[in-house]
Amino acid sequence: MKFLKALVVLMVISLPFIYGYNVYTRGSWELAKQVTPLGQLPSQVNESSGLAKAAEPGMYFTHNDHGAGGAPAVLFKVNESGKLIKSYTISGATNEDWEDLTGDNNGHVYIADTGNNNGKRTDLKVYKVSAANPGRAEVISFSYDDKPEAGKSKKGKKAKKPVTSFDSEAIFWNNGNLYLVTKDRNNSNEARLYKLPDSPGDHTAQLVATKPMNEKITGAGLSPDGKQLVLMSVGKLHIFQVSGSNYFNGNPQTISLGNVGQTEGLVFKDSNTLIFTNEGGQIFQYNF
């Protein structure tokens, strides 16, 4: 009995270190000082997984995660308090496993249908829609350049990567290209960065960088000035100081957000402010 009690105490004490809760006040885990709760997403958004700016200031798009292909292909426009403004059904698209959103400087939003939990998907896509009026999607289909065909190994590769290492829940855009960051489902303690064009068609995602990471990446955002890349994991931000096209430059600064739940979607409001959501439907602001 004493052993069980000690085990329970140890588990409770360990929670903040596992999930990034870094503030303890008046008997409960709280938010980090730089985090401000903004509101609650509408009931239609039951598992927010991505976030991107809409065309209007202070407006954002989000979406639900997949349900084995059962989630509707819908973007939800919300304001900063989480109020639903409008829902958009995206024609020419299906939600097999939507994981993240990003936007470009030319009025487009990109929907990353890149979830690949078991590594067996052969239909990975990014959908390109108008930020002003999302409707019909243009389709960017892709495959990974270093993923071997089933039962084969790539020439020149020392070892075949497990298929579960080709899951991505994070995307960002820069200079005509989309960048995908892997989630490390095979526990290799690394994040890989892939690049593909933002134009519709069939493409190969090229591996451009690998970084040792002990966290599973669930979202990404590039600052408007292009100087900071922020990767998100559960309850944490990992901030890289970008050097040219070296997005994984140096070692990232890791910041714990406090008791913010399972964080998955983020976007830069400006170079000093992030807006992010969790799968529980809460929306937050982080000030640098």
Side-chain angles (χ1 to χ4, degrees):
M1 183 61 70
K2 289 183 179 180
F3 173 77
L4 290 175
K5 288 182 179 179
L7 183 60
V8 170
V9 170
L10 179 61
M11 291 175 64
V12 171
I13 293 174
S14 299
L15 283 175
F17 300 99
I18 295 172
Y19 292 103
Y21 303 175
N22 66 336
V23 182
Y24 188 77
T25 304
R26 298 187 184 89
S28 63
W29 297 106
E30 296 184 353
L31 303 177
K33 291 181 180 179
Q34 301 97 321
V35 175
T36 303
L38 298 178
Q40 185 74 29
L41 294 171
S43 59
Q44 294 92 329
V45 183
N46 53 42
E47 195 175 349
S48 175
S49 186
L51 203 62
K53 285 183 176 179
E56 308 93 324
M59 299 292 175
Y60 302 90
F61 291 115
T62 189
H63 61 86
N64 284 316
D65 203 342
H66 77 113
V74 175
L75 286 180
F76 303 94
K77 183 190 290 184
V78 299
N79 63 17
E80 286 187 1
S81 65
K83 179 182 177 181
L84 179 63
I85 305 302
K86 190 173 181 179
S87 299
Y88 298 87
T89 298
I90 309 302
S91 61
T94 57
N95 185 350
E96 290 300 323
D97 197 350
W98 290 9
E99 291 291 0
D100 201 9
L101 301 174
T102 191
D104 63 19
N105 295 334
N106 304 306
H108 301 105
V109 169
Y110 300 85
I111 306 166
D113 192 356
T114 56
N116 192 18
N117 294 3
N118 60 17
K120 296 181 180 180
R121 285 189 63 186
T122 58
D123 59 346
L124 299 172
K125 297 179 178 68
V126 178
Y127 295 111
K128 183 176 183 178
V129 300
S130 166
N133 186 26
R136 172 163 290 278
E138 297 180 284
V139 182
I140 303 168
S141 300
F142 73 94
S143 59
Y144 292 101
D145 72 335
D146 58 340
K147 183 179 181 181
E149 298 177 19
K152 300 180 180 180
S153 60
K154 284 285 187 180
K155 183 179 180 180
K157 300 297 180 184
K158 293 182 179 179
K160 180 179 176 181
K161 292 185 178 69
V163 292
T164 51
S165 69
F166 294 91
D167 177 39
S168 174
E169 296 189 6
I171 189 172
F172 65 94
W173 178 94
N174 197 29
N175 292 330
N177 290 298
L178 295 166
Y179 293 86
L180 298 167
V181 183
T182 57
K183 188 176 183 180
D184 185 31
R185 284 194 178 275
N186 63 313
N187 298 315
S188 61
N189 295 322
E190 69 175 16
R192 300 196 309 281
L193 182 67
Y194 292 86
K195 179 175 76 170
L196 70 155
D198 67 4
S199 55
D202 296 322
H203 300 289
T204 300
Q206 303 289 332
L207 177 65
V208 295
T210 301
K211 195 72 176 178
M213 295 285 291
N214 294 322
E215 305 284 347
K216 289 178 167 54
I217 303 305
T218 60
L222 187 68
S223 62
D225 58 15
K227 294 181 178 180
Q228 288 186 317
L229 171 64
V230 176
L231 303 184
M232 175 170 275
S233 62
V234 175
K236 296 179 182 179
L237 302 176
H238 312 275
I239 305 172
F240 289 90
Q241 303 302 320
V242 177
S243 176
S245 59
N246 184 2
Y247 296 102
F248 281 0
N249 179 46
N251 294 318
Q253 176 189 9
T254 296
I255 296 174
S256 294
L257 297 170
N259 189 3
V260 291
Q262 185 168 331
T263 47
E264 296 223 357
L266 80 155
V267 65
F268 274 89
K269 178 181 178 179
D270 53 52
S271 292
N272 299 309
T273 313
L274 283 174
I275 305 296
F276 68 93
T277 59
N278 64 20
E279 286 199 340
Q282 295 171 292
I283 184 166
F284 302 88
Q285 178 173 294
Y286 178 85
N287 295 307
F288 289 93

